[in-house]
Amino acid sequence: MPNLLAKGRLARWSGVAGASLVTLTTMAGTVLAAAAEHAPDAAHGGEHASGGLPQLNPANFPTQIFWLALTFGVLYYLLSKKALPRVAEVLEARQERISRDLAKAAQLKDEAEAVLAQVEASLAGARAEALTLIGQASADIEANNQARQAALSADIAERLRTAEASIAAAKEQALANVRTASADIARDIAGRLAGVDVDQAQADAAVAAVIEERRG
């Protein structure tokens, strides 16, 4: 494609150069013809004509036109065979470099988009994994808290039962001690005041009846 473009430009420039040379040659011939019409007549001004400008002498016009055409022909050849091909090569190399740069830019863009897609996919996967781990950790913490709460409640209940049992045992022991002491005191008082020896069983029964009455 770049070669076709360079060749097309070279053909256009060659055509423009050729047309320009033809136009310049025509214009030069016109100028020389106009100068010939206004040149002094040789029969009336020989001395003046001989001392005028040689390029305005009609006798020199064919030679001048020949050299003019030859010069423009050489210039046309140099432009079409030397200068313009070189310019076309430079433009072709530039076009190829631009095409390579554009292709490279497109490739880098595609690679960047692919990398970006991979990064976004990785971020999405990491985000999903993090949410899963957070949910699992929350569930584990909640389960551990519930288990600890249940264990703590069971431990407290057990301690309360033990404490209640200990209190009840201590209370019964205290009551038993109070009964025994009360029975002994009652027997001692009955013996000292009434001179009656009260049986231990009777004293215990009497004390128990009094305690039950006070409880009621």
Side-chain angles (χ1 to χ4, degrees):
M1 186 64 181
N3 293 331
L4 295 177
L5 292 176
K7 290 180 180 180
R9 291 176 180 175
L10 179 60
R12 288 197 301 271
W13 290 349
S14 299
V16 172
S20 300
L21 290 176
V22 172
T23 302
L24 291 174
T25 303
T26 304
M27 291 176 63
T30 304
V31 171
L32 291 176
E37 291 178 358
H38 294 84
D41 186 50
H44 297 283
E47 294 180 358
H48 180 70
S50 62
L53 295 175
Q55 61 270 26
L56 298 179
N57 188 352
N60 296 329
F61 284 177
T63 304
Q64 293 178 13
I65 293 173
F66 169 75
W67 285 110
L68 179 63
L70 180 62
T71 301
F72 280 112
V74 172
L75 289 176
Y76 176 76
Y77 174 79
L78 292 176
L79 288 174
S80 63
K81 300 299 182 182
K82 301 296 182 181
L84 294 180
R86 178 57 182 167
V87 173
E89 291 177 359
V90 173
L91 292 177
E92 181 181 354
R94 180 182 178 185
Q95 185 66 33
E96 290 180 353
R97 185 171 61 255
I98 292 174
S99 300
R100 289 196 302 269
D101 293 341
L102 291 176
K104 185 64 175 179
Q107 180 181 359
L108 292 177
K109 180 183 178 182
D110 294 338
E111 293 178 356
E113 291 178 352
V115 172
L116 180 60
Q118 292 179 357
V119 171
E120 291 178 351
S122 299
L123 290 176
R127 189 180 298 110
E129 184 177 0
L131 292 176
T132 302
L133 291 177
I134 291 173
Q136 183 177 358
S138 299
D140 293 340
I141 292 173
E142 183 66 22
N144 291 331
N145 289 335
Q146 292 179 357
R148 290 178 181 178
Q149 186 68 26
L152 181 61
S153 299
D155 183 59
I156 292 174
E158 182 65 25
R159 290 185 181 184
L160 287 175
R161 286 193 296 271
T162 302
E164 290 175 354
S166 299
I167 292 172
K171 184 178 180 180
E172 292 297 331
Q173 183 65 35
L175 288 174
N177 293 333
V178 169
R179 290 192 189 96
T180 302
S182 297
D184 292 341
I185 293 172
R187 289 178 63 196
D188 184 60
I189 291 174
R192 289 182 180 183
L193 293 178
V196 177
D197 186 12
V198 180
D199 185 63
Q200 182 67 37
Q202 294 178 350
D204 292 337
V207 170
V210 172
I211 292 175
E212 291 294 333
E213 182 181 356
R214 292 296 178 89
R215 282 183 177 181

